Short mmCIF file of all heavy atoms in Angstrom, two decimals:
data_model
loop_
_atom_site.label_atom_id
_atom_site.label_comp_id
_atom_site.label_asym_id
_atom_site.label_seq_id
_atom_site.Cartn_x
_atom_site.Cartn_y
_atom_site.Cartn_z
N MET A 1 -55.87 91.27 25.97
CA MET A 1 -56.29 89.90 26.35
C MET A 1 -56.55 89.05 25.11
O MET A 1 -56.53 87.85 25.16
CB MET A 1 -57.56 89.95 27.19
CG MET A 1 -57.38 90.60 28.55
SD MET A 1 -56.25 89.70 29.61
CE MET A 1 -57.22 88.24 29.87
N ARG A 2 -56.77 89.71 23.98
CA ARG A 2 -57.14 88.97 22.78
C ARG A 2 -55.91 88.33 22.13
O ARG A 2 -55.99 87.25 21.57
CB ARG A 2 -57.82 89.94 21.80
CG ARG A 2 -58.48 89.22 20.64
CD ARG A 2 -59.27 90.21 19.80
NE ARG A 2 -59.82 89.53 18.66
CZ ARG A 2 -60.50 90.11 17.70
NH1 ARG A 2 -60.72 91.42 17.78
NH2 ARG A 2 -60.97 89.44 16.69
N GLU A 3 -54.71 89.04 22.24
CA GLU A 3 -53.50 88.53 21.59
C GLU A 3 -53.04 87.18 22.14
O GLU A 3 -52.76 86.26 21.37
CB GLU A 3 -52.38 89.57 21.73
CG GLU A 3 -51.15 89.18 20.91
CD GLU A 3 -50.10 90.28 20.99
OE1 GLU A 3 -50.41 91.36 21.49
OE2 GLU A 3 -48.97 90.04 20.55
N PRO A 4 -52.98 87.00 23.43
CA PRO A 4 -52.62 85.67 23.97
C PRO A 4 -53.60 84.57 23.53
O PRO A 4 -53.20 83.43 23.30
CB PRO A 4 -52.68 85.87 25.48
CG PRO A 4 -52.45 87.32 25.67
CD PRO A 4 -53.09 87.99 24.52
N GLN A 5 -54.85 84.92 23.40
CA GLN A 5 -55.84 83.93 22.98
C GLN A 5 -55.58 83.47 21.55
O GLN A 5 -55.66 82.28 21.24
CB GLN A 5 -57.25 84.53 23.08
CG GLN A 5 -58.36 83.52 22.82
CD GLN A 5 -59.73 84.13 23.02
OE1 GLN A 5 -59.84 85.30 23.37
NE2 GLN A 5 -60.75 83.34 22.78
N ILE A 6 -55.21 84.44 20.68
CA ILE A 6 -54.91 84.10 19.28
C ILE A 6 -53.67 83.21 19.21
O ILE A 6 -53.62 82.21 18.48
CB ILE A 6 -54.69 85.40 18.44
CG1 ILE A 6 -56.01 86.17 18.36
CG2 ILE A 6 -54.16 85.07 17.06
CD1 ILE A 6 -55.86 87.54 17.75
N ILE A 7 -52.64 83.58 20.03
CA ILE A 7 -51.40 82.78 20.06
C ILE A 7 -51.70 81.35 20.52
O ILE A 7 -51.19 80.37 19.99
CB ILE A 7 -50.35 83.45 21.00
CG1 ILE A 7 -49.90 84.76 20.37
CG2 ILE A 7 -49.17 82.52 21.23
CD1 ILE A 7 -49.04 85.60 21.29
N SER A 8 -52.55 81.22 21.55
CA SER A 8 -52.93 79.90 22.07
C SER A 8 -53.63 79.06 21.02
O SER A 8 -53.37 77.87 20.87
CB SER A 8 -53.83 80.07 23.30
OG SER A 8 -54.27 78.83 23.76
N GLN A 9 -54.50 79.72 20.25
CA GLN A 9 -55.22 79.00 19.20
C GLN A 9 -54.26 78.50 18.12
O GLN A 9 -54.36 77.38 17.62
CB GLN A 9 -56.29 79.90 18.58
CG GLN A 9 -57.47 80.14 19.51
CD GLN A 9 -58.47 81.14 18.92
OE1 GLN A 9 -58.20 81.76 17.88
NE2 GLN A 9 -59.60 81.30 19.60
#
Side-chain angles (χ1 to χ4, degrees):
M1 294 296 293
R2 191 174 177 183
E3 188 176 349
Q5 187 177 358
I6 293 171
I7 292 171
S8 176
Q9 288 175 352

